[in-house]
Structure formats: structure tokens, C-alpha cells
Amino acid sequence: MIKRTFVAASRVLSPGVRRYCGGEVTEDVSEWAASPHLTKQASVYVHWPYCLRRCSYCNFNKYIPKENNDHIMTKCLQRETETMLQLSQVSRVSSVFFGGGTPSLAHPSTIAAVLETVSKLASLSDEAEVTLEVNPTPMGMSRLEDYLHAGVNRFSIGVQSLQDEDLKSLGRDHSSSQALQTIEEARRLCPGRVSVDVMFGRPKQTAGSWVHELSELLRVCDDHVSLYQLTLERGTQLFKQVQCKQVTMPDEEVTAEMYRCARKTLHQHGFMQYEVSNFARHNSMSHHNLGYWKGEQYIGVGPGAHGRFVPLGEGGVVREARTQTLEPDVWIREVQQRGHGTRRRIQLSHLELLEEVLAMGMRMTKGINHEHWDLFSPQLGLCEIFGPSMDVKELLQNKQLILDDRGLRCSWTGLALLDSILPILLLELERNISPVGNLSLSADEQTKKISQPR
Amino acid sequence: MSFSIAKRFSEIPILRRVLQFKMCRRKIASCNVSYTVFRHRWMKSLPVLSSSFRLMSTQPEKDTVDLSKFPVDKIRNFCIIAHIDHGKSTLADRLLEMTGAIAKTEKNKQVLDKLQVERERGITVKAQTASLIYPYEGQQYLLNLIDTPGHVDFSYEVSRSLSACQGVLLIVDANQGIQAQTVANFYLAFEAQLTIIPVINKIDLKNADPERVESQIEKVFDIPREECIRISAKLGTNVDKVLQAIVDRIPAPAGSTNDPFKALVFDSNFDHYRGVVANIAVFGGRVKKGDKVVSTHLGKTYEVNELGLLRPDEHPTQKLFAGQVGYIITGMKDVKEAQIGDTLHLQEQPVDALPGFKPAKAMVFAGMYPMDQSEYPGLRSAIERLTLNDSSVTVQRDSSLALGAGWRLGFLGLLHMEVFNQRLEQEYNASVIVTAPTVPYKAILSSAKLIKEHGGEEITIVNPAHFPDRSHVSEYLEPMVLGTILAPDTYTGKIMNLCLNRRAVQKNMVYIDDQRVMMKYVFPLNEIVVDFYDLLKSMSSGYASFDYENSGYQAADLIKMDILLNGRPVEELTTIVHRDRAYSSGKAMCERLKDSIPRQMFEIAIQAAIGSKVIARETIKAFRKNVLAKCYGGDITRKMKLLKKQAEGKKKMRRIGNVEVPKDAFINVLKRKEK
């Protein structure tokens, strides 16, 4: 308690500056997010906002393009990449991920141009993972080779389902046979670096049909599988259909069973689960996604993209949560006018940073190891924070959570209950960490809209 | 006078604005069962208004009414009693218009009913006394309309109002005929030995059948049909005959101006600026400004600062004489000083006290808690202000582990409670959690130790936590009521079944005409406090009416029922139930809890238990999966927000063992069901 007060007091006196306090070295730990180890590199996420059509379940940021503006988009993505990389001052880009929308609608030359820009401003090694999300349509498939030449070295294929009827009702624009062909072609081009996305908990789906479908997929897929539960989002067509009872979603018990079966099946096929939704064999994990879960820096480029990095280029010392402008047309105008379309930036307090590190880290089967945690919280270790809590003890006793000399992680059953476990952990964290990370900033300053070019 | 009328009307919009601060949040009971009224002049509770009233009443207006011109034989004191919606307020409006107390306009609708709750429910909550000057056969008469609460919730208040009257107008709807409350009201007036003038209203309606209603009156009340006056209060038809009947049939009050001054306090209310305003009926002598009067109850002496008539606004006069009814302000500062039923006399001339009233006993209790503890002070002052003018509400501070600090309030009956809640919400903009009503049980103690502790054999139990163990008790008692149900005979079977299920015992059953049946049942009060009215109304398509009066206590097999979550008792859900009802109410509570406790990582057993015996159980299965898919493109902000919200929510949950129970769950289980 006394120690905490000291920390808080020292922050009041001199935020962000190392100082001696009561003979003990204390420092504003939020600065740790600015430590060279964490700030010298970042991954880059590039958002392609366009889709040919709207999937019935998707409420993500996507637009049906009115006209071909590939050229302008390319220029703007390049420009924003440049601005953001300069702002972050990273010397190395660890991975690039083209997501969407439907990024396989982007011309391969656009992908090449963005990657070129990245390379110009930071080192992007040949080994760096460059992933592109692909819709398994004939068009998507025909372009795979060109993407490869543009610099992509990993494909993530949005199979979603192998049931043609379901693909149709979900509003996807491909068939199961097209999906299978695309997987085959992608594996030929990028052996060992192809991932498939598949979705469970679809209307009318049963645990039996799901296992059957998954087994079928496992016969053809490569070394990486992401499986997602279809969630009902407000504002989607599916939501309306469920509301009017035209469509019924499988109930909780059924989706729990689907998840359990999938984990088992994947395990039997040699896939190791390394995160709630991600499975890999032969060490083919997605490095880009692991970056999110490990609390590494990432730079978001494109309409609605999110980023987490320290803007060293403008003298920043704390990590910021950044969101780019959502609407493509507005984003384009902003990028043209001032080089970027950052709509919102929030400086993360020390507590907020740790909350993210915790919530993301616990999604991994390995959880958070002590060294990793200490990187962000050098003063309070995992055991100090979570060890004394009765609630945590109960989770440990119930074998849902594990806290040992490796670190903190979920058990096999615990991982399926992560969203019940996290609130307990977040409360403990809040109890132990002073909520004021950056006292030098007023609430107004913490959220500022950028309106002037810089 | 015209000045004050204009003034009053100009105030109505202000008043309505004040009242309509908040639109009615709660759905109002559509079934206007058998309710009416309870009273006190409510308007004083709004300081804005009372200040303008004060200005008005202290105008140097001349004493235009010379009250000495109205000797006892020129005075008639009466009240109007009726089942709800039978036209009591409309008739009052016409009487006021015809005697010039208010201007005759289209807008006079429920002039005496100004509360939002009154207009919405079509009932009179705070009625007003109005003195009418009526010229008849060359003479001026002073007719004092003393408004009474019609509902037996307030029978104690009815009886005190009736004690100031010599006659009543008993209004019956020409279409609906006699209803339960008509019966209850008739007996109150009959027992007070008042002259009863039956008035059949709404004869202008298409389906009016005054013949039938007259024969009902003859059959049920034994009043010759010739005495009935057929009117349409709405159109004013035959209302003059009512005025004539008041003068002709109702006896003048007893007492003489030569006697020593003697007055009954039959109502009182509180004004922030002037203190207590007492309504009095002068039984003898005279009183004037400056007189020193003594309260027999307290033995305290007060000086009369102001007195006058209510027309229906305060209309100061110099004196009040025997037989007259009016208001008096004496510098009493606390509403409790103005004991209803107290007798006032002059300092030098002591008199025998008039028979007072039994103090009202709260029969229905409910917990009230602010929605959020930060609203506690606001709710406290709202409750204080409302109870200032309604001393029959008992207030006890209470606290619940789940709902925080609050109160346990006692009411005379269900309508009383509903009206109180509605006024709290509408007039004070207070959002309140009201728990399901309970009734006061009694226990006859057998343990010498406990008897010593409580200072008597018999104890009253309001809070289930204080329910004494069977081993220390020779007998438990529960409050009973005598209920009157009137309904078309086609519903008789259904209604009898309902009553049987409510542990009721039939006392009698009479056909009041060839289609309508009057049934009397003795019910345990507990069986009717929650949803009886609603069920009765819905099963009879709204045709049945119900009213009840208290009927003492009876021995009952009462037990304490606990609700357990994973084996741990939940204190605030402990209830006292009749053994026969334990299973069904335990099951219902478990089911309601099951629906409102979110799934957790472990299984939750919800049990209802009597002692160590479990009588009902529901199970909330453990979560098998609670984790969601990917964070698209690194958008973790949304996910974090959701998690933080859940973490914040956990702080507010009440923990019973390892089970986290949201406040909503308690509210869902404890709250009265929305109607």
C-alpha cells in the first residue's frame, strides 16, 4: 500500500521520469511501453475496406465500392503507411497483414506498393510474415500468384463453411468447391503458410454436422486453422432474421459442444491450439496475430484500422490506441490533406496498458510468462498481483487457471471460460495498480481529435 | 370571491406543470377495481402553491359571508360516497357550479381532483371540503360537502369524515348498478346512522337501467325505491333535486351557538409557511380569530391565527359557529400535534371530549429502496414530504444487503400503497424499487424468556427476520379480511374457485337481481395483497368488483421459508408463508431467480427450504463456454470495454457464498409484478 502511494506520488511529481524515491528506484511505469525493446519494432495492419457484397452476419467496417478508385486507394495507403511509420520511428516491421473487407479485391500492384513503402521506411526482412486475407472466389484464386510476387508469403482463406447452402444464406460469394480449389492453389504457391478460416455456430448447424465438416476440411487444409463462432451482431441482416424468428441460432449448450469437439478433432489431427481460436501444426503459428496477443506494437493503416504504438516521432512516450477514420471517402480526403486519417487517439494509462496485455495474453494457451509480464509491469509481478486473491485461488483450485513458475495461463477447460475469468483478473489488477497512469494529462487531453495537419 | 376563483384557475396550469414533471412511468392499473379515495388537502405539500395560497387567503378580502346568518337549522353537512367511476366527482362539480362556488364552464371536470394520480385513475385521493351557499324556498342554506375517502383502506378516515356529517349521497351508476364498494360505503354510513339519499347517476347513458338499480337498492339496502333520485351529473339533469333533498331529508346538525365551543378535528394537513391547517366541524358554540383554544388530546393551548370556510379554497371569515365546518390555523408546527379525532375547546371552557378515532393501523407493508444509493437523500426527503400530510403511513428505516438502505413503509391497504408510490414517482420524480407487499403477522409466545424480552405474550412480526421459532410460540396469527365481491352470475364458478385457492371461506352469497351475485368471503389478507384484484378482474372480463374490510386475526399454520443459493441462505429473500402455500411460492421464487441470475462458471442450485427440508429447487447450469472469437484487425478496444463493464458489474453484485447475484435478480424476485 505504502509502495503504491509512493509510485503514485512520484508520478504526480514528475510523470514519466525516473527518480529515486524513498531509496527505492521507482519510475513511471507507463514509460516502459516506450522502452526500446517494445518500441523499436511494430507490425503493420492494412485495412482494405471494400467488399463486393454484404455478408448477412458481418457488421465490420466495409463498403460496397461505387467506382474503381484503386489508384487513389493505393496512393493513400502508401501515404498513410509512410506517415505512420515515421510517427512510430520503428526501425523494423515484424509482419504485415492485409485484412478487410475483402483485400483480395485489391489489385496485386496495390499490395506491392504498400509493401514497398514499408520497406523504404523500415526494415522488412524476407522472412517477415506478410499475410493476405483471401476470399476463395475464382477471381481471388486467379490472383494468388500475383500476390505472391507482390510480396505476400502467407494466405488466410475465408472458407467459413463447406456447405454450399450455408455459404449462400450467409451471403458469401463463393462455393465450397471454389474454396477447396483455392486452398489447393494457395498450398501449391505457399506450402505450409496457408490458413483457413472456418465458422461454427451457424443457423441450423449441429455438433455432428460440424465435426463432419471440420474433418472434411482437415483433409485438404494446410497447417493453420482459425475457427470462429458466428456471433449475432446488431444491425446485420442475420440479426433481423433471428429477431423475426426466421432463423434460429444453435443454443449455448450446442455451441459449447461444437467448440469442444473442434478442439478435440484438431488435436487428433496434430494441430496445437495456441490461442482461443487458432490452431497450428509444424510450428505454423501466425506471427502477426501473436503480436497482438503478446502486447507488441502495431500500426493500423487504412479506413477504420486500429493501432497501438508510441508516437516517438512527435516526442510521445506513452503507447496510444489509435483509430483511423471509418468511411473510405472521408479517410481518403484526410490522407490527401494531411498524410493520415487518424480519427482518435487515446493515451493508454499504465493500468489500461496492463489490462490489454492481460486480456490479450490470456487468450494464448501459453498465457503470460513472468518475463513477458515484467516487461510491462516491472514493479508488480503476476504472483504479487494475483497470488493473494481469494477469487483467483478459487480459479486455481477449480483447475481453470494456472499460476506457476512459468507464468499465468488458462487450463484447457479454463480457456473456454476466458470471458468469465478475465473480469475477475481485471478487478484484481485494478485493485493493485494505481488507476492514474498519466497524471500530467487532463481528461480532455487524453482523448483528442486530430483536426490539424502535422 | 370571484377574485379567488380566478386566482385558483390561473393556478391550475402551474400545478399541472409541477405534477407533470414526470410522465407516468408505471402502467396504471387499468382495472379501477373498487378503490377510491383518501384524503387530506394535498396541495399544501407543494411549497410553490402554498405560497400563492397564502397570498390569496391573506388578501384583505371582506368577510363577504356573514356566518352568523346561518344558524344550525340552516346548515346541512353531507358527503358523497360511491363506487369508483360512478360519478362522485362529476356530481361534486355540478353542485359547486349550481351554488356558484365555481364558475360554470365546460372545463369543470373533477374540479376537486387535481392530482395526476386522481385524474388518471379517476379517483379522489385528496378530496376537499367545500361549503356551498344554496338559496332554497326563500332561505339561504349553508351546505357543507365533506368529501370522504370511499375506499375501506381508509375506513378509519371515512368514519372520521362521516362523524362530521348527518347525511350522505350514495351514488350508483345506472348502468353498472351496485358494486362492491357501494356496499362497503353503505354500511359505513348506515353504521354511523346517517341519512342516506340514494342517487342513480348516468341515466343519460344508452344502457342505463335505473329501474333495475332501484330494485337492487331496495333489495340490498332496504331503501324504498321511491327515495332514489335519478340524475345525470354530466348533463346536470335533476341535480337541483339532489340539492333540495339535501335540505329536506338531511337533519340539521345538533348543537347550539349558545353552548361552549366544541369542535372535532376531522382532517389536517401541513403548510410549509403556516404550519398545520386543521379541518374542524364545530359541534357547539363559536370560535373567532384570537381565541385561545385547547387540544384535549395534548392539553396544549393555541391561539387562533386564522379561520374560515372552504369553498373549496380557503375563505377566511371572522368566526365559525355551531354546525359549521371550516379550517383553523393555530400555530401548531407539527402535523402530529393536530391529532385527527381530537376535540378543541376554549381555554376557559373545558368540555367533554368527543369520541375520538382508533388510530389507523398499517395492514400492508412494503420495502422501498432507491434505484441507486446516491438517490437515497432525495427519496428520503420525498417520503418525508409525502408522509407529512399522511400520518397513516408508518415509516421505518430498513436496509437490505442487496438493495442497500431504504425503508419499510406500512399502509392502510393496497390502494393506499399504490397511490403513495405513484405520487412519489409523479410528484417527486423518485425512482423507487418497491418490494412485494407483506402483512403483519402475530405470534403468541410461549417462552417465558421471550415474553419477558418483548414485554408481552403477543408480538407483531413485520420483518421475516424476526419470526420467532415454532418452539417458542404457542400460536401464530394472520390478519383476515372480509371481502365483498359483486359480479354477473356467469362468473360465479370461476370466482369461487379463485377464492378457494386463496384459502377463503365463503360467508354468504346473495342474488342482488336476476343476474348479479354478491358474495362474501373471509380471506387471509396475505392472499389478496399481491395479485388477487388483477386475477379477479381478468377472469371476469372486468365485470367483478371487490372490496374488503379488516376482520381481525386468525390462527394460521405459518412457517418461515428460506431461499438458498448453493446451500447458503439469502437473508433478504426469507419469507413467511402459510404451510399450504409454501411449495407454490417457493417454486415461484426459485423460478424467478433462475431467470435473473446469469450463468456462472459453476452450477448454481437455487432452493427453497423450510428448516432443513428443501421443498423446491431450480438449477442454473455452469457455463461450458464463454469466450469469443477474434479481434478483427487489432480492434481490442471494444472487447476491453465489454470486459471492463463486466468487471465493474461484478463490483456491484451481491455475493452469496461463491454465487454472484445482480441487484436486478433481487428486484425481480422482491418487486411487485408490473401490472
Side-chain angles (χ1 to χ4, degrees):
Chain A
M1 193 62 212
I2 291 169
K3 185 176 162 196
R4 239 182 289 153
T5 317
F6 270 132
V7 176
S10 72
R11 260 183 232 131
V12 174
L13 293 168
S14 175
V17 177
R18 270 170 193 269
R19 64 167 39 231
Y20 283 93
C21 198
E24 185 189 351
V25 183
T26 56
E27 50 217 305
D28 183 353
V29 263
S30 60
E31 192 195 329
W32 272 84
S35 76
H37 185 87
L38 288 164
T39 54
K40 70 180 182 201
Q41 64 167 16
S43 57
V44 173
Y45 173 82
V46 184
H47 191 78
W48 183 264
Y50 300 114
C51 285
L52 283 181
R53 57 200 284 190
R54 231 171 270 275
C55 296
S56 69
Y57 56 89
C58 177
N59 74 338
F60 203 52
N61 185 37
K62 39 112 204 353
Y63 298 83
I64 312 302
K66 282 172 251 146
E67 59 201 325
N68 186 317
N69 61 353
D70 277 9
H71 180 68
I72 302 169
M73 271 307 285
T74 307
K75 282 269 170 278
C76 288
L77 286 173
Q78 281 184 290
R79 176 92 191 274
E80 192 172 55
T81 303
E82 194 181 315
T83 313
M84 302 305 269
L85 281 171
Q86 276 168 352
L87 190 62
S88 73
Q89 301 260 293
V90 295
S91 55
R92 199 174 87 91
V93 167
S94 47
S95 62
V96 182
F97 193 102
F98 292 90
T102 309
S104 55
L105 290 178
H107 196 271
S109 64
T110 302
I111 306 298
V114 173
L115 290 172
E116 223 166 87
T117 310
V118 173
S119 306
K120 243 193 293 179
L121 286 140
S123 90
L124 179 68
S125 82
D126 291 346
E127 278 78 54
E129 182 185 283
V130 178
T131 309
L132 176 84
E133 282 181 350
V134 178
N135 258 21
T137 56
M139 207 263 274
M141 188 173 87
S142 69
R143 280 179 167 181
L144 289 178
E145 195 157 359
D146 296 333
Y147 289 128
L148 190 72
H149 291 136
V152 172
N153 57 23
R154 186 172 178 273
F155 292 111
S156 170
I157 299 171
V159 175
Q160 315 309 355
S161 166
L162 289 178
Q163 313 284 340
D164 282 337
E165 205 180 302
D166 286 10
L167 287 170
K168 215 167 157 189
S169 71
L170 292 172
R172 303 291 301 186
D173 50 8
H174 68 270
S175 68
S176 64
S177 68
Q178 286 167 350
L180 296 174
Q181 284 167 29
T182 309
I183 295 170
E184 203 184 318
E185 172 70 357
R187 290 184 67 181
R188 188 182 64 81
L189 294 167
C190 266
R193 299 179 71 98
V194 176
S195 173
V196 291
D197 276 11
V198 59
M199 190 183 269
F200 70 94
R202 307 186 312 249
K204 287 189 277 182
Q205 200 180 23
T206 64
S209 70
W210 161 237
V211 170
H212 182 77
E213 187 179 354
L214 187 60
S215 306
E216 207 178 317
L217 186 69
L218 287 176
R219 275 205 302 275
V220 297
C221 74
D222 201 25
D223 290 342
H224 194 279
V225 175
S226 296
L227 41 102
Y228 302 123
Q229 183 179 334
L230 174 57
T231 49
L232 207 51
E233 303 282 358
R234 283 184 174 281
T236 60
Q237 200 195 329
L238 187 64
F239 188 84
K240 274 184 224 135
Q241 289 168 337
V242 171
Q243 291 259 296
C244 337
K245 312 222 154 131
Q246 290 168 355
V247 168
T248 46
M249 301 289 285
D251 73 29
E252 278 184 339
E253 286 298 313
V254 175
T255 55
E257 182 59 14
M258 286 176 179
Y259 185 61
R260 193 189 66 82
C261 291
R263 290 173 86 184
K264 201 176 102 195
T265 307
L266 282 155
H267 182 77
Q268 284 165 351
H269 284 76
F271 281 84
M272 190 192 78
Q273 181 174 22
Y274 67 100
E275 192 259 358
V276 171
S277 313
N278 287 280
F279 300 79
R281 59 184 172 194
H282 309 135
N283 231 10
S284 306
M285 284 91 79
S286 158
H287 293 287
H288 182 85
N289 285 334
L290 277 170
Y292 295 147
W293 302 318
K294 287 180 173 168
E296 290 168 5
Q297 291 204 117
Y298 54 96
I299 291 166
V301 172
H306 289 254
R308 292 282 185 286
F309 64 92
V310 182
L312 290 176
E314 55 169 55
V317 289
V318 285
R319 184 180 285 193
E320 293 184 359
R322 286 174 166 252
T323 315
Q324 309 306 104
T325 294
L326 279 171
E327 308 83 353
D329 293 348
V330 184
W331 173 83
I332 285 169
R333 207 159 53 234
E334 288 172 0
V335 175
Q336 285 170 339
Q337 280 169 6
R338 56 182 146 100
H340 67 86
T342 301
R343 177 53 65 99
R344 207 164 64 117
R345 37 189 293 209
I346 297 166
Q347 296 187 321
L348 295 179
S349 68
H350 181 51
L351 174 63
E352 285 168 332
L353 176 67
L354 292 185
E355 283 170 348
E356 291 196 355
V357 169
L358 180 70
M360 292 296 114
M362 292 304 288
R363 291 183 68 88
M364 295 183 287
T365 48
K366 278 162 113 179
I368 303 164
N369 67 34
H370 294 294
E371 298 72 34
H372 178 61
W373 181 257
D374 290 348
L375 211 56
F376 295 93
S377 176
Q379 289 176 346
L380 278 174
L382 290 169
C383 291
E384 286 169 272
I385 294 170
F386 301 110
S389 154
M390 288 311 292
D391 289 342
V392 172
K393 273 189 190 134
E394 201 179 303
L395 292 172
L396 297 174
Q397 268 164 18
N398 294 340
K399 303 216 160 45
Q400 286 152 336
L401 195 66
I402 301 163
L403 178 61
D404 59 13
D405 50 6
R406 271 159 63 192
L408 182 70
R409 63 189 177 281
C410 291
S411 68
W412 168 268
T413 50
L415 194 65
L417 299 169
L418 182 61
D419 287 356
S420 293
I421 295 175
L422 279 175
I424 299 172
L425 299 181
L426 288 169
L427 278 181
E428 280 317 314
L429 183 63
E430 191 190 328
R431 247 172 239 152
N432 283 277
I433 306 287
S434 158
V436 274
N438 287 286
L439 288 175
S440 60
L441 286 163
S442 72
D444 289 345
E445 284 170 313
Q446 284 189 3
T447 313
K448 44 182 166 184
K449 284 184 181 169
I450 310 250
S451 49
Q452 75 286 5
R454 44 179 82 237
Chain B
M1 200 51 219
S2 60
F3 168 77
S4 71
I5 288 163
K7 179 85 183 169
R8 212 187 64 151
F9 272 95
S10 69
E11 264 163 25
I12 290 174
I14 304 171
L15 177 68
R16 289 193 65 83
R17 247 173 283 149
V18 172
L19 297 180
Q20 286 168 355
F21 257 175
K22 188 171 170 199
M23 294 310 290
C24 172
R25 288 182 48 238
R26 207 147 52 103
K27 208 175 134 204
I28 301 305
S30 51
C31 44
N32 296 330
V33 190
S34 57
Y35 307 135
T36 2
V37 193
F38 84 98
R39 61 212 48 233
H40 291 298
R41 290 187 41 121
W42 57 279
M43 295 174 73
K44 303 301 168 40
S45 59
L46 297 171
V48 185
L49 295 165
S50 43
S51 66
S52 51
F53 265 106
R54 184 176 50 150
L55 283 177
M56 184 176 77
S57 58
T58 51
Q59 289 294 320
E61 191 183 345
K62 271 203 198 135
D63 192 1
T64 48
V65 184
D66 180 1
L67 289 178
S68 63
K69 277 200 283 188
F70 296 104
V72 171
D73 65 336
K74 295 287 180 294
I75 296 172
R76 301 292 183 269
N77 295 324
F78 70 102
C79 52
I80 308 176
I81 53 181
H83 188 79
I84 185 156
D85 261 354
H86 281 197
K88 174 173 162 171
S89 298
T90 314
L91 177 60
D93 290 348
R94 290 297 91 74
L95 294 177
L96 292 177
E97 280 173 15
M98 291 179 67
T99 56
I102 57 169
K104 188 173 177 177
T105 78
E106 289 293 302
K107 286 177 198 149
N108 290 343
K109 279 190 181 146
Q110 282 182 269
V111 168
L112 294 177
D113 299 338
K114 294 193 190 78
L115 284 176
Q116 190 181 342
V117 50
E118 292 178 321
R119 287 169 180 268
E120 281 168 0
R121 289 177 176 243
I123 59 170
T124 310
V125 171
K126 286 300 279 185
Q128 299 185 31
T129 293
S131 295
L132 319 171
I133 294 164
Y134 174 58
Y136 177 52
E137 292 181 344
Q139 300 282 334
Q140 294 273 76
Y141 287 87
L142 183 67
L143 311 183
N144 297 310
L145 163 56
I146 297 165
D147 223 346
T148 64
H151 191 259
V152 280
D153 265 11
F154 315 110
S155 59
Y156 143 80
E157 302 197 20
V158 176
S159 61
R160 84 188 187 210
S161 290
L162 293 179
S163 67
C165 299
Q166 287 74 44
V168 298
L169 305 179
L170 178 68
I171 304 187
V172 187
D173 184 308
N175 180 14
Q176 291 185 15
I178 291 179
Q179 297 291 316
Q181 203 183 299
T182 322
V183 179
N185 279 320
F186 168 81
Y187 283 110
L188 282 170
F190 184 77
E191 280 159 20
Q193 300 184 329
L194 304 185
T195 301
I196 295 164
I197 302 173
V199 176
I200 298 171
N201 189 20
K202 307 195 188 181
I203 55 166
D204 55 306
L205 290 185
K206 219 172 93 190
N207 295 323
D209 189 355
E211 303 271 330
R212 189 172 133 238
V213 177
E214 279 172 4
S215 64
Q216 286 179 355
I217 288 174
E218 207 165 45
K219 173 145 192 191
V220 180
F221 302 139
D222 205 15
I223 298 175
R225 58 171 65 218
E226 294 71 37
E227 289 185 21
C228 296
I229 306 173
R230 297 181 185 184
I231 68 161
S232 162
K234 192 174 137 204
L235 304 177
T237 318
N238 287 345
V239 176
D240 52 332
K241 288 194 181 151
V242 174
L243 283 165
Q244 289 163 21
I246 291 168
V247 175
D248 290 340
R249 300 193 208 168
I250 297 176
S256 146
T257 45
N258 301 322
D259 295 341
F261 169 67
K262 181 181 191 176
L264 175 76
V265 177
F266 66 88
D267 199 357
S268 75
N269 46 83
F270 187 77
D271 179 298
H272 277 273
Y273 297 91
R274 300 180 297 172
V276 173
V277 181
N279 288 3
I280 58 166
V282 184
F283 279 64
R286 62 185 77 191
V287 64
K288 63 177 188 301
K289 214 169 151 175
D291 278 349
K292 295 271 196 315
V293 297
V294 179
S295 142
T296 25
H297 175 67
L298 292 171
K300 276 175 87 171
T301 304
Y302 302 91
E303 183 176 326
V304 178
N305 299 330
E306 184 185 327
L307 47 71
L309 289 182
L310 295 158
R311 309 195 51 194
D313 301 312
E314 287 168 8
H315 184 90
T317 58
Q318 293 303 318
K319 293 176 185 167
L320 282 174
F321 296 89
Q324 294 171 358
V325 170
Y327 72 97
I328 184 167
I329 298 170
T330 60
M332 284 184 186
K333 285 289 167 245
D334 188 344
V335 77
K336 291 188 185 75
E337 288 177 78
Q339 187 76 32
I340 310 296
D342 199 359
T343 306
L344 301 180
H345 61 80
L346 290 178
Q347 199 177 18
E348 321 78 62
Q349 292 172 295
V351 297
D352 288 339
L354 292 156
F357 307 108
K358 281 181 296 182
K361 256 211 181 116
M363 289 311 287
V364 176
F365 291 82
M368 282 201 189
Y369 298 88
M371 211 51 131
D372 187 292
Q373 280 297 308
S374 65
E375 294 162 12
Y376 181 88
L379 185 58
R380 182 181 56 202
S381 74
I383 288 175
E384 274 170 7
R385 275 179 287 166
L386 265 183
T387 49
L388 205 55
N389 267 337
D390 187 357
S391 52
S392 54
V393 180
T394 64
V395 182
Q396 239 182 322
R397 253 192 293 173
D398 201 359
S399 78
S400 148
L401 289 167
L403 306 177
W407 299 267
R408 181 164 285 269
L409 303 189
F411 301 95
L412 300 173
L414 276 182
L415 177 73
H416 190 197
M417 179 175 87
E418 283 184 10
V419 165
F420 186 92
N421 293 348
Q422 200 178 337
R423 291 187 61 191
L424 205 57
E425 291 193 350
Q426 290 178 342
E427 294 167 39
Y428 296 97
N429 199 23
S431 44
V432 198
I433 300 165
V434 182
T435 66
T438 57
V439 303
Y441 294 106
K442 286 182 175 174
I444 309 295
L445 300 172
S446 58
S447 138
K449 188 172 156 254
L450 282 181
I451 293 173
K452 204 176 160 196
E453 224 171 83
H454 292 281
E457 255 196 343
E458 188 184 282
I459 58 165
T460 301
I461 312 139
V462 170
N463 186 338
H466 304 143
F467 193 71
D469 191 79
R470 175 94 254 182
S471 59
H472 304 306
V473 168
S474 60
E475 194 170 43
Y476 295 111
L477 304 170
E478 67 177 330
M480 307 299 289
V481 294
L482 177 63
T484 303
I485 299 168
L486 271 109
D489 58 359
T490 43
Y491 301 107
T492 313
K494 279 185 181 174
I495 292 172
M496 286 170 75
N497 242 331
L498 172 69
C499 294
L500 208 66
N501 287 335
R502 297 306 176 110
R503 299 192 283 129
V505 176
Q506 196 178 68
K507 286 291 154 189
N508 68 42
M509 182 166 147
V510 183
Y511 272 82
I512 62 166
D513 59 26
D514 51 2
Q515 279 157 25
R516 291 186 66 85
V517 180
M518 178 166 81
M519 289 172 272
K520 296 214 172 204
Y521 278 90
V522 173
F523 289 91
L525 175 59
N526 186 41
E527 297 290 337
I528 61 160
V529 290
V530 179
D531 55 358
F532 181 78
Y533 286 155
D534 304 331
L535 276 173
L536 182 69
K537 271 286 165 183
S538 66
M539 70 167 42
S540 66
S541 313
Y543 284 115
S545 65
F546 174 73
D547 209 342
Y548 70 87
E549 56 191 285
N550 293 331
S551 174
Y553 276 77
Q554 266 183 20
D557 191 3
L558 301 175
I559 43 176
K560 187 162 91 167
M561 182 175 72
D562 289 314
I563 299 292
L564 313 173
L565 290 181
N566 280 354
R568 300 223 188 184
V570 188
E571 217 177 288
E572 44 271 75
L573 298 182
T574 300
T575 40
I576 298 170
V577 289
H578 191 273
R579 191 178 294 277
D580 296 349
R581 308 284 283 163
Y583 173 73
S584 58
S585 74
K587 190 165 184 296
M589 281 179 91
C590 289
E591 281 168 359
R592 278 165 100 171
L593 269 175
K594 185 187 178 180
D595 291 341
S596 41
I597 297 178
R599 290 175 91 178
Q600 289 172 32
M601 278 188 285
F602 40 81
E603 188 175 280
I604 302 167
I606 306 168
Q607 296 166 310
I610 290 160
S612 57
K613 190 178 163 224
V614 172
I615 57 165
R617 175 184 168 131
E618 292 286 333
T619 306
I620 299 175
K621 282 197 191 160
F623 259 134
R624 284 184 56 206
K625 173 177 183 291
N626 182 28
V627 62
L628 273 188
K630 66 173 170 182
C631 306
Y632 291 95
D635 176 11
I636 59 181
T637 311
R638 197 175 138 198
K639 179 76 188 159
M640 287 309 300
K641 265 192 190 154
L642 213 67
L643 286 169
K644 289 289 286 172
K645 210 176 133 194
Q646 282 172 24
E648 281 307 305
K650 281 176 95 71
K651 286 189 196 164
K652 291 182 188 146
M653 298 228 200
R654 165 123 158 78
R655 274 181 84 142
I656 315 283
N658 57 353
V659 183
E660 284 172 336
V661 186
K663 191 170 164 182
D664 282 355
F666 287 98
I667 296 173
N668 287 346
V669 177
L670 293 173
K671 182 177 80 166
R672 290 200 68 194
K673 279 188 192 147
E674 291 295 330
K675 288 197 260 175

